[in-house]
Amino acid sequence: MFAVHLMAFYFSKLKEDQIKKVDRFLYHMRLSDDTLLDIMRRFRAEMEKGLAKDTNPTAAVKMLPTFVRAIPDGSENGEFLSLDLGGSKFRVLKVQVAEEGKRHVQMESQFYPTPNEIIRGNGTELFEYVADCLADFMKTKDLKHKKLPLGLTFSFPCRQTKLEEGVLLSWTKKFKARGVQDTDVVSRLTKAMRRHKDMDVDILAVVNDTVGTMMTCAYDDPYCEVGVIIGTGTNACYMEDMSNIDLVEGDEGRMCINTEWGAFGDDGALEDIRTEFDRELDLGSLNPGKQMFEKMISGLYLGELVRLILLKMAKAGLLFGGEKSSALHTKGKIETRHVAAMEKYKEGLANTREILVDLGLEPSEADCIAVQHVCTIVSFRSANLCAAALAAILTRLQENKKVERLRTTVGVDGTLYKIHPQYPKRLHKVVRKLVPSCDVRFLLSESGSTKGAAMVTAVASRVQAQRKQIDKVLALFRLTREQLVDVQAKMRAELEYGLKKKSHGLATVRMLPTYVCGLPDGTEKGKFLALDLGGTNFRVLLVKIRSGRRSVRMYNKIFAIPLGIMQGTGEELFDHIVQCIADFLDYMGLKGASLPLGFTFSFPCRQMSIDKGTLIGWTKGFKATDCEGEDVVDMLREAIKRRNEFDLDIVAVVNDTVGTMMTCGYEDPNCEIGLIAGTGSNMCYMEDMRNIEMVEGDEGKMCINTEWGGFGDNGCIDDIRTRYDTEVDEGSLNPGKQSDRLALLQVRTILQQLGLDSTCEDSIVVKEVCGAVSRRAAQLCGAGLAAIVEKRREDQGLEHLRITVGVDGTLYKLHPHFSRILQETVKELAPRCDVTFMLSEDGSGKGAALITAVAKRLQQAQKEN
């Protein structure tokens, strides 16, 4: 028993001594946490450099756009071919995606050798060899009669300007075929395939093996947005926000970036952590001075690094009693598979002895322990470096998404990761230590990068088909100039129709006289109360107007109108309004004050005078009973009487559109048109009295409230209405009326028709749909406005008209392009009108007070006359 303990102690001490010896010798290969965090920061800086247009040409980490804009969403289906060129073998696959609607992939594949004379010979011969292998595969699988899309996994740095193009930047690994650099590999392969007349193949995508890995894993896990290869070579890709990619136009959505991180350090950024062994290995490689990061990580080089270290230690008398063998002197004699075998948990030492004996050495127990530890340090450094760069990518993803915790999946492939017994565990542990705020899942790619190329092709096919469908739908919303001219002419006809006594009753554009007969002239003054009813919120305002200085001060309070009141009885609605007025007067300390009042009532009304307004019909969700056909001013007066607390002088009932015109007219006497483009849309303008047949008198002007939202209710613009407009109309509170308002509902309807959920790629489609719908809305608005300004120009017999339009409404104010498109349309359709657009500040409140003030001024002038 004592002997056993003694032996265990001896072995433990021996192991400890050997490990210490190796640790001292390879001190520079052991990286501290601080060093790893520093490398992580350096890689972040390199990523920024590669993404920026100005610094990309000199960046070591090229951050190449792949033009892969979407990950699989599970709806992909069909039959695809896939080629994988880039490793020690060349592979051809037939991939069947989602047969019978299931999220399922079936694959048939065949490997072909890549002889040295092919991969290091003439480029044309290389692509002809690939095309021959593909033809052989298609013949074997009886596919020659089919037209099939193909995805090419090409695992070398390429510059892309589209998905189906890849210009080779440089060969890596063992490839050195002549005349391929700086040419498009898709064109080269297509040309080679033309030699086979019986083969009908269309290359839809060229992807990097890393991108293929990410796509393969994303098919099984939608959280996968990073791909990493740790095999013969090493690389990573991830989904970057388009707004951060200077090299590609457009800011919408995301695109996969192929980092080409193997070249990290080619500009000297890693010199302080490279060792003498790294430098020696680089000098003896096929590409000295290139792929510095890769040479410290990947499977092609780890075995060679171990050999160089063992040779140096042997020369220093630290191993094998100073003895060396010819095999130990021979490049490539220790491979990564040997390193993996030596690091196995239980049989590692026995494997080490066997490998060293095969190298012609006579190792002692101590030598085997030391060699095993050399392997551990070399492979651990590889995992550490890989983890630091991957942590930098994860941090970037987290910042892009602006989340405190990131949940993501990393798809991984590569022989080193797969065959090395300790590598995955070490990599995962270090990544989680470096980015504790990321919940990372590592998913091993089942079928390698080739399935991924097929997935990219499947996604490209899906996106292509979806694009056709989207274009077909959105074409319905694109209006030609001829259509807009036609809308303008029809609007003009409807305006005239609404002004005539005979046809007024049947007109869809109601052309309602407002009895507002003048614009502010700057002499208005006094305190006025204004009410604003037109949506779910009701406002009461106190407006103080000072003459001379054209100064207006306002105080207001907002009150909610519950749905039950909006759709209850008329008496309940007006009692609620009076309650709100009482609360406001109390709040302002004006209880019992008698003030002139202007009532902004933003619903279609027929007026017989400025203080009388008969409601024609509710809009915007209001349904209060016993109101339509009644004078809303009388209803308000009755409600004030019922309350019996105060008396108010209701001078004017006005529409918000008229209020908008008056507000802007106070600042600009040229303003004779008011436009609302918000929840609803409407237009008013100053019309010559001689043209208004419903009102007596030919002198002066009067503001006409067009109520143009009803334009088309008679079917005159059915030729430009879409089935989506019809659906929205049928689902609205007022079917058959004013269906041009509901842009957002149209967007939702279209998206449902396209069967879209709100994924990242869908958001681009959503924006396109919104753009098409809002562009049409702005153009229709512009065509209507053009009809009115042209009418005013002709009525006044002018060659050129200068006029200002006062505008209000959330659509005009908040939409990024609506105002521009509207103005462009007016300019195009009414070229002889110089139209200025003036944004209204509170037309419905300030405007109502100004109308009241103007009415009081005109009343006073009448009395004095």
Side-chain angles (χ1 to χ4, degrees):
M1 191 67 182
F2 176 72
V4 171
H5 280 299
L6 195 61
M7 277 302 291
F9 174 74
Y10 166 74
F11 185 76
S12 171
K13 186 80 174 72
L14 180 68
K15 191 172 181 179
E16 194 182 316
D17 290 346
Q18 293 307 310
I19 286 171
K20 279 180 181 171
K21 176 176 75 178
V22 172
D23 282 346
R24 279 194 299 273
F25 191 76
L26 296 179
Y27 173 77
H28 286 295
M29 277 194 166
R30 294 170 61 80
L31 305 173
S32 68
D33 287 354
D34 285 344
T35 303
L36 291 177
L37 287 166
D38 185 44
I39 292 166
M40 187 175 151
R41 279 189 290 272
R42 291 186 216 181
F43 189 69
R44 273 299 298 272
E46 289 294 320
M47 288 171 79
E48 298 281 356
K49 245 193 207 174
L51 286 170
K53 207 170 197 170
D54 297 343
T55 48
N56 175 273
T58 56
V61 179
K62 283 297 177 194
M63 303 295 283
L64 303 169
T66 65
F67 293 84
V68 171
R69 291 169 176 262
I71 60 170
D73 67 1
S75 68
E76 294 77 14
N77 63 77
E79 218 172 15
F80 305 93
L81 288 172
S82 185
L83 301 179
D84 186 1
L85 183 66
S88 47
K89 288 175 184 170
F90 162 56
R91 191 180 182 199
V92 186
L93 282 98
K94 186 199 95 169
V95 182
Q96 175 74 49
V97 181
E99 202 171 16
E100 296 166 7
K102 293 171 189 165
R103 202 174 177 121
H104 177 65
V105 177
Q106 268 188 322
M107 295 188 295
E108 295 175 56
S109 71
Q110 197 168 323
F111 284 98
Y112 293 89
T114 47
N116 273 343
E117 62 270 21
I118 291 288
I119 66 172
R120 295 188 191 180
N122 179 288
T124 304
E125 287 171 11
L126 169 65
F127 288 107
E128 285 177 355
Y129 174 73
V130 171
D132 291 346
C133 294
L134 177 61
D136 174 72
F137 178 81
M138 291 182 78
K139 187 181 175 185
T140 308
K141 303 294 177 188
D142 194 25
L143 297 171
K144 286 279 180 104
H145 60 287
K146 291 187 176 181
K147 180 176 173 63
L148 292 171
L150 180 141
L152 169 64
T153 301
F154 190 73
S155 309
F156 305 96
C158 282
R159 178 168 284 111
Q160 290 183 265
T161 57
K162 50 190 175 183
L163 187 59
E164 67 279 17
E165 174 198 87
V167 175
L168 178 68
L169 294 176
S170 61
W171 288 115
T172 57
K173 293 167 275 198
K174 292 180 178 178
F175 279 69
K176 272 283 184 183
R178 296 184 301 280
V180 183
Q181 202 166 323
D182 297 322
T183 67
D184 174 25
V185 296
V186 174
S187 302
R188 299 290 293 270
L189 180 55
T190 304
K191 189 179 175 185
M193 288 193 303
R194 283 198 199 111
R195 289 166 56 252
H196 298 270
K197 305 293 181 196
D198 54 350
M199 204 161 76
D200 191 2
V201 172
D202 188 13
I203 303 175
L204 281 193
V206 58
V207 298
N208 182 280
D209 54 349
T210 323
V211 180
T213 294
M214 182 189 79
M215 294 296 271
T216 300
C217 294
Y219 189 67
D220 299 317
D221 181 347
Y223 282 99
C224 183
E225 49 193 344
V226 183
V228 176
I229 297 276
I230 312 163
T232 313
T234 184
N235 194 12
C237 69
Y238 72 103
M239 296 300 287
E240 175 61 87
D241 290 356
M242 280 287 289
S243 55
N244 297 328
I245 308 170
D246 280 2
L247 302 170
V248 180
E249 279 186 21
D251 283 347
E252 298 304 320
R254 302 198 296 169
M255 183 183 283
C256 180
I257 288 289
N258 165 22
T259 65
E260 286 298 338
W261 77 8
F264 178 33
D266 285 8
D267 56 357
L270 296 175
E271 276 312 298
D272 56 328
I273 65 159
R274 288 178 75 226
T275 66
E276 58 181 294
F277 308 109
D278 297 307
R279 292 186 179 90
E280 193 177 340
L281 179 140
D282 178 47
L283 286 171
S285 69
L286 278 171
N287 53 352
K290 305 278 185 197
Q291 300 296 103
M292 295 306 188
F293 195 57
E294 183 170 83
K295 284 169 183 170
M296 291 191 271
I297 290 176
S298 78
L300 186 61
Y301 304 104
L302 290 196
E304 184 59 10
L305 269 176
V306 168
R307 185 189 72 80
L308 292 172
I309 292 165
L310 298 187
L311 184 60
K312 178 87 184 278
M313 287 182 79
K315 281 177 180 174
L318 296 169
L319 283 176
F320 320 125
E323 293 296 320
K324 302 166 288 292
S325 65
S326 62
L328 194 59
H329 276 97
T330 307
K331 183 182 169 184
K333 278 293 182 182
I334 298 180
E335 296 173 21
T336 296
R337 62 188 175 90
H338 297 132
V339 176
M342 288 190 270
E343 282 197 76
K344 278 199 171 165
Y345 179 57
K346 283 184 178 169
E347 60 264 44
L349 277 176
N351 290 343
T352 305
R353 176 176 294 281
E354 194 179 311
I355 290 161
L356 292 174
V357 168
D358 284 349
L359 289 170
L361 298 162
E362 293 178 13
S364 65
E365 194 71 40
D367 289 334
C368 291
I369 292 166
V371 169
Q372 189 184 44
H373 194 54
V374 167
C375 292
T376 299
I377 287 176
V378 169
S379 62
F380 216 128
R381 184 184 69 155
S382 164
N384 276 337
L385 290 170
C386 205
L390 179 53
I393 289 173
L394 295 173
T395 307
R396 185 169 181 88
L397 276 176
Q398 188 177 10
E399 284 176 15
N400 285 351
K401 292 186 177 188
K402 297 178 175 62
V403 290
E404 282 185 27
R405 284 202 79 76
L406 175 73
R407 178 186 171 184
T408 194
T409 298
V410 177
V412 198
D413 201 355
T415 46
L416 177 56
Y417 185 88
K418 282 177 172 173
I419 67 163
H420 193 290
Q422 315 294 332
Y423 202 98
K425 190 170 63 183
R426 289 170 185 165
L427 176 74
H428 303 172
K429 190 177 177 182
V430 180
V431 168
R432 287 173 181 136
K433 186 160 64 171
L434 293 174
V435 276
S437 59
C438 295
D439 298 320
V440 193
R441 179 189 180 209
F442 289 86
L443 185 60
L444 190 62
S445 170
E446 286 299 317
S447 316
S449 50
T450 327
K451 174 182 166 185
M455 290 317 309
V456 172
T457 310
V459 170
S461 297
R462 165 174 66 78
V463 170
Q464 231 175 44
Q466 204 176 53
R467 181 75 260 163
K468 278 183 190 167
Q469 194 186 353
I470 290 161
D471 287 345
K472 190 178 169 187
V473 170
L474 296 190
L476 301 171
F477 290 85
R478 293 193 183 104
L479 300 174
T480 62
R481 190 179 192 281
E482 289 70 31
Q483 285 174 312
L484 290 170
V485 169
D486 186 48
V487 170
Q488 180 185 6
K490 284 173 177 171
M491 175 63 86
R492 175 71 184 268
E494 289 291 318
L495 297 174
E496 303 288 1
Y497 201 54
L499 286 170
K500 300 271 185 288
K501 205 166 195 171
K502 273 186 186 175
S503 50
H504 175 79
L506 298 169
T508 56
V509 179
R510 307 307 291 266
M511 304 297 283
L512 304 171
T514 65
Y515 294 86
V516 171
C517 296
L519 292 163
D521 65 2
T523 64
E524 295 78 13
K525 61 180 181 180
K527 284 183 187 175
F528 303 88
L529 209 57
L531 310 181
D532 176 14
L533 180 69
T536 49
N537 288 331
F538 168 61
R539 280 192 314 156
V540 186
L541 302 94
L542 176 68
V543 183
K544 293 180 181 177
I545 304 173
R546 292 171 70 182
S547 65
R549 290 167 59 192
R550 287 188 184 249
S551 149
V552 177
R553 290 181 73 186
M554 294 188 291
Y555 310 86
N556 74 85
K557 200 167 184 193
I558 295 171
F559 300 89
I561 298 193
L563 190 65
I565 299 280
M566 281 169 71
Q567 299 182 5
T569 67
E571 199 168 285
E572 286 168 341
L573 173 63
F574 282 92
D575 284 347
H576 180 74
I577 287 169
V578 171
Q579 174 66 55
C580 296
I581 296 169
D583 289 351
F584 178 75
L585 292 172
D586 201 23
Y587 170 73
M588 292 300 296
L590 292 170
K591 208 169 184 180
S594 183
L595 295 169
L597 181 145
F599 185 12
T600 299
F601 188 74
S602 305
F603 303 93
C605 281
R606 182 171 291 107
Q607 288 186 256
M608 298 310 292
S609 66
I610 197 164
D611 64 345
K612 288 201 173 300
T614 302
L615 176 64
I616 294 169
W618 286 117
T619 57
K620 294 181 269 195
F622 278 74
K623 281 279 186 181
T625 58
D626 308 321
C627 295
E628 292 180 0
E630 300 294 327
D631 180 0
V632 293
V633 176
D634 283 348
M635 292 186 81
L636 180 58
R637 284 186 179 130
E638 288 299 319
I640 290 169
K641 271 185 198 168
R642 279 196 298 275
R643 184 152 186 108
N644 199 23
E645 261 184 38
F646 46 78
D647 192 24
L648 296 170
D649 176 16
I650 304 171
V651 175
V653 59
V654 299
N655 180 281
D656 55 349
T657 322
V658 183
T660 293
M661 182 188 75
M662 293 297 270
T663 301
C664 294
Y666 188 62
E667 307 290 336
D668 178 354
N670 226 18
C671 182
E672 291 198 351
I673 299 177
L675 166 66
I676 298 278
T679 314
S681 177
N682 196 13
M683 168 80 70
C684 72
Y685 71 103
M686 295 301 287
E687 177 62 270
D688 295 331
M689 282 290 288
R690 61 188 155 85
N691 295 330
I692 309 169
E693 292 185 4
M694 294 87 67
V695 181
E696 285 183 16
D698 285 349
E699 294 300 314
K701 296 177 185 175
M702 182 184 285
C703 180
I704 291 289
N705 166 22
T706 66
E707 285 297 338
W708 79 357
F711 176 51
D713 287 1
N714 60 356
C716 71
I717 52 171
D718 278 1
D719 58 320
I720 61 165
R721 288 181 79 222
T722 69
R723 62 192 173 100
Y724 303 107
D725 296 308
T726 307
E727 270 185 58
V728 166
D729 180 33
E730 286 167 359
S732 69
L733 279 169
N734 50 356
K737 298 178 183 177
Q738 303 187 312
S739 66
D740 64 329
R741 297 182 165 192
L742 305 164
L744 286 176
L745 284 178
Q746 285 170 359
V747 172
R748 253 178 74 190
T749 312
I750 292 166
L751 292 179
Q752 283 163 1
Q753 288 285 329
L754 292 173
L756 296 172
D757 295 320
S758 50
T759 64
C760 183
E761 64 181 288
D762 295 338
S763 67
I764 302 164
V765 180
V766 173
K767 185 160 184 195
E768 258 191 280
V769 172
C770 293
V773 171
S774 57
R775 182 177 183 80
R776 184 187 69 157
Q779 287 177 318
L780 289 173
C781 207
L785 181 51
I788 287 174
V789 294
E790 271 295 303
K791 177 181 176 357
R792 293 303 296 139
R793 185 186 67 76
E794 288 174 20
D795 284 352
Q796 293 170 59
L798 297 170
E799 188 64 30
H800 281 278
L801 172 73
R802 287 189 68 195
I803 197 163
T804 299
V805 178
V807 198
D808 203 353
T810 47
L811 182 56
Y812 187 91
K813 283 177 172 174
L814 301 181
H815 193 282
H817 310 298
F818 188 93
S819 58
R820 175 181 55 78
I821 296 163
L822 168 67
Q823 290 170 29
E824 284 170 1
T825 308
V826 173
K827 199 170 187 178
E828 188 182 351
L829 298 180
R832 289 192 282 175
C833 298
D834 182 4
V835 184
T836 302
F837 290 82
M838 184 177 185
L839 206 54
S840 162
E841 286 178 39
D842 196 9
S844 48
K846 182 176 170 181
L850 283 165
I851 291 166
T852 308
V854 170
K856 290 297 272 184
R857 171 169 62 75
L858 294 175
Q859 279 173 14
Q860 190 62 34
Q862 262 181 336
K863 274 183 194 172
E864 287 169 7
N865 286 339

